[in-house]
């Protein structure tokens, strides 16, 4: 019997690789989620501890939330953190949007790859290196001008957050269908009208994602803030770090839980806005 040759087109297509069907995947996934969220859940639970221990449950109480709310240092550090994060998120998102438009809505030119790498450089360099560099740079400015205000933290956080905002905005632009923008141009829309009427509405979810990511990164930053800040400019993370060096009480758990609630609220709002647009 003659051997039948199978052409590539007649080969039986096998089942695709599905990682969810692999042995042990569910167990590993559950362990990963447990290790990730169990400490956070423990922190939230012990923020309601009536005692002073962070490891021994002594009953339910709002004591530490009331203590944190009445703590003037916590209020000052929280307001400062939110102010810096809001400023850094707005300015870095605006700069990242302009940079993303400049690198995706133009013809390729020499140096485009270098610009892309330059914008994302803070992501590739260890944060301690960036912090030390900013410390040296701002120290020279402080000696020359005598200014020691909050502006250094605002500039440092903004510069550090730009690549975090840039990535989701650029990704959104690259995945957008250009046919709508071309259609607007064919209908004699100016570049600004095309951007306002077509590009911006489609880009808005990416801008929101970039802004939220920049806000959270700024709010959570410790290394750069610790190296750049002057006396009396503690943000909430640096304040908590200082308290952990002295004594640990459930008040730290209460503060962390409140900021966790803010983060969850932001993610929920973003999800609802995104679903409504979809």
């Amino acid at each position: 019997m003659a051997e039948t040759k199978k052409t590539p087109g007649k080969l039986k297509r096998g089942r695709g690789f599905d990682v969810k069907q692999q042995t042990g995947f569910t167990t590993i996934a559950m362990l990963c989620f447990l290790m990730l969220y169990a400490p956070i859940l423990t922190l939230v639970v012990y923020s309601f501890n009536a005692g002073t221990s962070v490891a021994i449950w002594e009953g339910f109480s709002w004591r530490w939330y009331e203590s944190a709310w009445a703590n003037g240092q916590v209020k000052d550090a929280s307001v400062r953190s939110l102010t810096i994060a809001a400023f850094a998120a707005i300015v870095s998102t605006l700069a990242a949007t302009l940079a993303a438009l400049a690198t995706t809505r133009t013809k390729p030119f020499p140096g485009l790859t270098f610009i892309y790498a330059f914008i994302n450089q803070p992501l590739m360099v260890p944060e301690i290196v960036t912090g030390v560099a900013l410390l040296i740079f701002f120290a020279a400015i402080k000696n020359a001008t005598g200014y020691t205000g909050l502006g250094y933290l605002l500039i440092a956080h903004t510069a550090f957050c730009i690549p975090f905002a840039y990535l989701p905005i650029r990704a959104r632009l690259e995945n957008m269908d250009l046919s709508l923008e071309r259609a607007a141009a064919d209908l004699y829309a100016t570049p600004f009208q095309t951007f306002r009427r077509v590009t911006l509405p489609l880009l808005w979810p990416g801008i929101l994602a970039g802004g939220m990511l920049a806000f959270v990164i700024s709010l959570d930053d410790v290394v750069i803030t610790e190296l750049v800040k002057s006396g009396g400019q503690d943000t909430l993370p640096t304040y908590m770090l200082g308290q952990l060096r002295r004594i640990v009480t459930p008040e730290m758990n209460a503060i962390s839980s409140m900021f966790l609630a803010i983060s969850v609220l932001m993610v929920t709002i973003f999800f609802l806005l995104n679903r409504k647009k979809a």
Side-chain angles (χ1 to χ4, degrees):
M1 182 181 292
E3 183 179 353
T4 304
K5 293 184 179 180
K6 295 182 179 179
T7 60
K10 295 181 179 179
L11 289 175
K12 187 177 180 180
R13 184 173 297 178
R15 294 179 60 187
F17 176 77
D18 188 356
V19 69
K20 293 183 293 184
Q21 302 299 325
Q22 302 307 304
T23 304
F25 173 82
T26 303
T27 303
I28 294 175
M30 292 178 62
L31 287 174
C32 289
F33 277 106
L34 180 65
M35 289 186 289
L36 181 64
Y37 290 107
I40 298 176
L41 180 61
T42 303
L43 179 145
V44 174
V45 170
Y46 275 89
S47 68
F48 297 100
N49 190 8
T52 58
S53 173
V54 294
I56 302 175
W57 180 258
E58 299 180 34
F60 180 88
S61 173
W62 292 94
R63 167 187 177 185
W64 299 109
Y65 285 90
E66 296 171 356
S67 174
W69 186 258
N71 192 328
Q73 290 181 315
V74 172
K75 288 183 179 179
D76 291 341
S78 300
V79 171
R80 191 175 295 111
S81 292
L82 293 172
T83 301
I84 295 172
F87 179 89
I90 293 172
V91 178
S92 64
T93 302
L94 177 61
T97 302
L98 297 176
L101 288 169
T103 53
T104 59
R105 289 299 182 266
T106 56
K107 294 181 180 179
F109 57 88
L112 181 61
T113 303
F114 171 78
I115 293 174
Y116 178 71
F118 183 78
I119 294 174
N120 291 283
Q121 181 265 344
L123 298 176
M124 298 179 285
V125 175
E127 190 176 351
I128 185 65
V129 176
T130 304
V132 171
L134 289 172
L135 170 64
I136 297 171
F137 179 71
F138 288 146
I141 298 178
K142 289 178 183 180
N143 290 333
T145 63
Y147 174 73
T148 58
L150 200 64
Y152 299 110
L153 279 176
L154 295 175
I155 295 172
H157 279 237
T158 300
F160 183 67
C161 288
I162 287 176
F164 292 96
Y166 174 79
L167 289 177
I169 296 173
R170 178 187 170 93
R172 181 73 178 181
L173 281 170
E174 289 180 335
N175 292 326
M176 282 170 52
D177 187 3
L178 294 178
S179 61
L180 295 176
E181 296 179 11
R182 290 169 182 160
D186 290 339
L187 294 172
Y188 302 103
T190 65
F192 178 74
Q193 288 175 329
T194 301
F195 173 75
R196 186 168 65 91
R197 298 283 187 177
V198 179
T199 307
L200 185 59
L202 295 174
L203 182 59
W204 193 243
I207 295 176
L208 282 177
M212 288 181 57
L213 184 58
F215 183 88
V216 172
I217 292 296
S218 174
L219 192 67
D220 189 50
D221 184 76
V222 175
V223 176
I224 290 178
T225 305
E226 189 70 27
L227 292 172
V228 172
K229 72 181 180 67
S230 300
Q233 294 181 353
D234 272 324
T235 60
L236 192 62
T238 59
Y239 169 79
M240 294 176 65
L241 181 63
Q243 292 300 307
L244 291 173
R245 292 170 179 167
R246 300 180 182 92
I247 183 172
V248 181
T249 66
E251 185 180 53
M252 296 296 102
N253 296 359
I255 297 170
S256 301
S257 299
M258 286 189 285
F259 270 78
L260 175 64
I262 293 174
S263 301
V264 172
L265 179 62
M266 289 180 59
V267 172
T268 303
I269 292 173
F270 172 70
F271 171 76
L272 293 176
L273 288 174
N274 229 12
R275 187 176 64 174
K276 187 179 294 185
K277 287 183 177 294

